[in-house]
Amino acid sequence: MALVVIWGSYYISNKFALSVFGVVFNGVFIRTFVLFLMLFLGAINKRNSELLRVKHIFVRLVLIGLLGFALDITAFLGFKYSTASKGAVLLRTDVLFSTLISAFLGQVPGIIDIVSMILMLLGVALVSGSDNLLKFGYGDVFFLLSAFFISLNAFVIRSVQEDKRNPGSDFVIAFYNNFFTLVFFSLFSINSLKLELISNSQSIGVNIATAGLVVGSVCQYLIYVVYYKNLRIFPVWLVRTSLLFMPVYVLLVMSFFGESVNTRQLTGVLIILFGAFLLTISNQFLRNKKQR
């Protein structure tokens, strides 16, 4: 449940931060904060030397950072143009995209998987408020793109964790994930970065947007720590299943801040969660069957 609260709080805090600050400033601030925090804690724990052990995995670490940038900027744009509640739900379609990517890699989905994907697509349409799957708001499209990048990044991260020549530690993967995400945020806005940093810095103060920046930064660091640790300790299906409760947490919290959710969208939430649950259980059943 700690991961659910941390990740959900990350989405909520970003929504408040982006109500005032720009997307690039938000990304650069969070990643810079996490960069120095990781270096500081790494020095205390005497782990910074691990950052030099990147033989055979460096290119994939850069790719992880590139995908980290892609999933971040699309999620931030989603929060800019939509609500935190819808974001928390639509971003959970990463389970759907994970199955599609697995199918592309040769793992053909079964009947339950296909039914689950159809259910989730229906749920996405209901949550977005669209009458069909061809009509989405800007925020909805960005959320779905972010979910795709999250799924793709998970496969690359796992390949680094399981590399036979040089398996990357969680600390190394998290550091370079954050570092290269910061690099790509800076390159993306190289022409306007200085101006945006100066103009947005003037809005920093004792207000809810600044609190969102700080809380979002802390939550981003904690996501690295708790999520990677959970993947090491618990089965992947259990971690992913627990995250299905995150939209419920976000919906409850944001309801106190005036975000309204209608009956149709609540129905979509339930359908997406049920579809994601079926996909997760189906995948776990197949893994257990292969191990016997």
Side-chain angles (χ1 to χ4, degrees):
M1 288 303 294
L3 183 60
V4 171
V5 173
I6 292 170
W7 214 318
S9 298
Y10 175 72
Y11 289 154
I12 294 169
S13 58
N14 272 295
K15 177 61 181 177
F16 287 120
L18 289 165
S19 64
V20 173
F21 300 107
V23 170
V24 172
F25 179 82
N26 195 73
V28 170
F29 182 97
I30 288 177
R31 297 298 174 170
T32 302
F33 184 102
V34 175
L35 175 66
F36 284 105
L37 180 59
M38 293 187 74
L39 286 173
F40 174 71
L41 295 176
I44 292 177
N45 297 320
K46 299 180 179 180
R47 300 194 62 184
N48 285 344
S49 59
E50 294 179 23
L51 300 177
L52 300 177
R53 303 169 192 165
V54 294
K55 188 177 181 180
H56 303 302
I57 60 174
F58 183 74
V59 173
R60 277 173 290 168
L61 290 174
V62 176
L63 178 58
I64 288 171
L66 176 59
L67 290 171
F69 161 72
L71 68 89
D72 252 11
I73 196 166
T74 48
F76 291 165
L77 287 168
F79 288 121
K80 196 76 173 177
Y81 296 108
S82 188
T83 66
S85 301
K86 290 175 69 174
V89 174
L90 294 177
L91 287 170
R92 285 281 58 79
T93 56
D94 60 337
V95 179
L96 166 65
F97 288 118
S98 293
T99 301
L100 292 175
I101 294 172
S102 296
F104 180 78
L105 295 175
Q107 301 177 17
V108 181
I111 295 178
I112 295 179
D113 296 329
I114 295 174
V115 171
S116 300
M117 287 188 283
I118 294 174
L119 284 173
M120 292 180 72
L121 287 173
L122 173 61
V124 167
L126 292 173
V127 171
S128 67
S130 304
D131 293 327
N132 58 67
L133 293 175
L134 300 178
K135 294 181 180 180
F136 292 104
Y138 288 118
D140 303 332
V141 174
F142 285 126
F143 283 139
L144 293 175
L145 282 173
S146 183
F148 170 74
F149 291 130
I150 290 172
S151 303
L152 191 57
N153 209 19
F155 283 89
V156 184
I157 290 172
R158 179 52 63 87
S159 75
V160 174
Q161 288 179 326
E162 299 178 347
D163 189 273
K164 295 181 179 179
R165 296 170 297 179
N166 181 24
S169 67
D170 293 346
F171 176 70
V172 169
I173 297 172
F175 178 85
Y176 283 106
N177 187 341
N178 183 78
F179 174 74
F180 284 117
T181 297
L182 174 59
V183 169
F184 286 114
F185 258 112
S186 301
L187 292 175
F188 174 77
S189 59
I190 192 168
N191 293 325
S192 60
L193 180 60
K194 182 178 179 180
L195 179 62
E196 183 162 350
L197 290 178
I198 294 174
S199 61
N200 279 267
S201 296
Q202 296 173 355
S203 299
I204 293 179
V206 184
N207 52 56
I208 193 168
T210 302
L213 271 180
V214 176
V215 173
S217 300
V218 174
C219 286
Q220 176 62 76
Y221 171 75
L222 292 176
I223 287 172
Y224 284 140
V225 175
V226 179
Y227 181 55
Y228 289 178
K229 183 176 181 180
N230 281 2
L231 287 176
R232 295 283 188 184
I233 298 175
F234 303 109
V236 175
W237 71 269
L238 181 58
V239 177
R240 293 175 70 179
T241 300
S242 68
L243 285 174
L244 298 180
F245 293 98
M246 186 177 63
V248 180
Y249 166 74
V250 176
L251 285 170
L252 287 174
V253 173
M254 292 309 295
S255 66
F256 290 103
F257 292 96
E259 279 196 6
S260 59
V261 181
N262 58 41
T263 303
R264 179 177 177 176
Q265 289 175 318
L266 283 175
T267 302
V269 170
L270 294 176
I271 291 176
I272 290 175
L273 295 182
F274 180 67
F277 177 75
L278 284 180
L279 271 178
T280 305
I281 296 302
S282 174
N283 290 334
Q284 178 60 20
F285 175 76
L286 289 177
R287 290 191 188 96
N288 291 339
K289 189 175 181 180
K290 289 179 180 179
Q291 293 174 355
R292 292 174 183 172

